[in-house]
Amino acid sequence: MPAPSVILADASFHWPDGATVLDHVSAAFGPCRTGLVGDNGAGKSTLLRLVARELELTGGSLATVGDVAHLRQDLVLGTHATVADLLGITPIRRAIRAIEGGSTDPAHYDAVGDGWDIDSLAVAELGALGLPLGLERPVGTLSGGETMLVALSGLRLGGAGVVLLDEPTNNLDRGSRERLQDVVRNWRGSLLVVSHDVELLDLMDGTAELRRGSLTVFGGGFTEFREALEREEDAARQALRTATQSLRTEERQRREAEQKLASRLRNGRKDYANRRLPKVVANTRRLEAQESAGRLRGHLDDRLDRARERVDEVVAKVRDEDRVRVRLPDPDVPAGRRLLELHGESGTHTVMGPERVAITGPNGIGKTRLLETLFDPDLRARAAVGATPLTTRIGYLPQRLDGLDGAASAVDNVADAAPTRLPGELRAELARFLLRGATAERAVDTLSGGERFRVALARLLLADPPHDLLVLDEPTNNLDLSTRQALVDALTAYRGALLVVSHDRRFLADVGVDYEVVLTGPGSFDVETKGTVA
């Protein structure tokens, strides 16, 4: 068996405010592809930073075999950075130029090493990814997908033993995602990937879940991991039902025993008061009864404590409390009702209720702008491809979540969209979105990114009256997998129409998209043959 590339031994990490990321974790990752999953805020990016030595453990040890390269979510580059800078080959190229110019400095030869043909290697690497880019091209002229793929090419050129990727598919269009997946399929070495992209996670050799300070490693892709987890949860829920029933039985028997003991004590006092027994005999029996009662209470208390401990033990294995649960009001949009028109130079297309339509196309083609034309007549008049609403009941979830009142609470934000609902009812519904107690009363600006998303989602889905049409712009970006599944479940049950921009093919298939409107160029679009997105 190959030696592991990353080894955690009794590793702990706590932030200064006391928040725990790792709590005495021992695990190992071999020279293979591993997907790192967990809810938002669990500490996945922090774990990558620990492996990259950007942070230090607060306890235990962490060892790596070979160099470590870390590709963060936020690629921060200077305004004059080039493709060569992004590839990480600029120091080698400068050293080669210096040597060609007559330098005999040993530092230049050390910098070059075996990289005399670095330019041709870099061009070949980029070409293999369908990126015929010049090495001096400014990074600012690249799309987000091109930037990510170039950076990934640089990691392969660098030959690091351990490569860490943090959400590499965020904001990538379909073509870029497919090219990145090809890179991952053919990866050699140790690759640790944080992602919410199920398609990418299913390419992994193993899955590691970070949850409540613990790390669980599973051999297989995410879908296999989730299926195994569901089987474990089914068993845990059955065990919880059994343990709860046993606890109720023990509690009932404890009550019945106390009633019997109290009855005996009353009868003993009556016997003594009525002088039915000699005083010595009565006292002896009273003491014996007390000792017997004490032993019985101790025995029953032990059984009751064990039953409670068993319930607590099983509850810890049931994850229902971590899941968003959504119940949608029913807009009951009839089939054939016209809800919006898409128009451009290539023609007009009408979306009928309750159709589910994906707006797709490469990055920069104008998908978000198309959605915005639904709500801005002036923008619609200027847009090459626009959308005309045929209903006023439209709910919109933009990428930036800029429709929330940051100074108001989660309850108040949702109440604004559902004015007829009582505050207690809204709090109960928000609890289903894991916004419980004081969290639901806090100003939205003080909430985490994941919590703000759930407020926006609750405001959209709990609107009263319900929306005829939901418009979603990349709704799965930065969404943890459990909340993503809750959103899929909610949209699957939703009986209105759906218009969604997303590069996440699995999400589009899961919510049952009927067909795609593909933006193909300025003013033009194609409507693909109706049928579930594959």
Side-chain angles (χ1 to χ4, degrees), residues 150-263:
V150 170
L152 191 58
S153 297
L155 297 185
R156 290 211 298 185
L157 281 171
V162 179
V163 172
L164 314 174
L165 305 182
D166 197 351
E167 295 291 358
T169 61
N170 271 6
N171 301 312
L172 298 194
D173 59 29
R174 187 193 312 175
S176 297
R177 284 182 182 230
E178 290 174 350
R179 283 181 288 186
L180 185 140
Q181 289 170 10
D182 287 339
V183 171
V184 170
R185 283 190 188 94
N186 299 305
W187 195 270
R188 297 294 180 267
S190 183
L191 184 67
L192 188 57
V193 182
V194 168
S195 182
H196 297 137
D197 184 332
V198 176
E199 283 187 283
L200 180 63
L201 291 172
D202 274 342
L203 299 178
M204 301 293 112
D205 304 303
T207 301
E209 184 191 31
L210 186 58
R211 180 174 183 260
R212 297 181 178 178
S214 297
L215 191 65
T216 302
V217 180
F218 174 85
F222 179 74
T223 297
E224 295 173 274
F225 167 72
R226 184 167 57 188
E227 290 171 352
L229 195 63
E230 287 173 353
R231 290 193 294 270
E232 289 180 4
E233 289 189 26
D234 287 342
R237 280 189 285 269
Q238 179 57 52
L240 178 58
R241 287 191 288 270
T242 301
T244 301
Q245 184 58 47
S246 296
L247 177 58
R248 289 172 180 162
T249 299
E250 296 296 342
E251 288 174 337
R252 187 188 71 250
Q253 291 177 350
R254 182 69 169 80
R255 288 193 301 270
E256 291 173 351
E258 281 294 341
Q259 292 170 356
K260 291 179 180 178
L261 291 172
S263 176

Side-chain angles (χ1 to χ4, degrees), residues 7-15 20-26 47 50 53 55-63:
I7 305 169
L8 296 162
D10 197 32
S12 295
F13 181 80
H14 310 280
W15 288 108
T20 297
V21 176
L22 299 177
D23 187 15
H24 299 284
V25 166
S26 294
L47 178 54
L50 288 165
R53 306 294 186 182
L55 296 170
E56 293 298 326
L57 293 173
T58 53
S61 65
L62 187 155

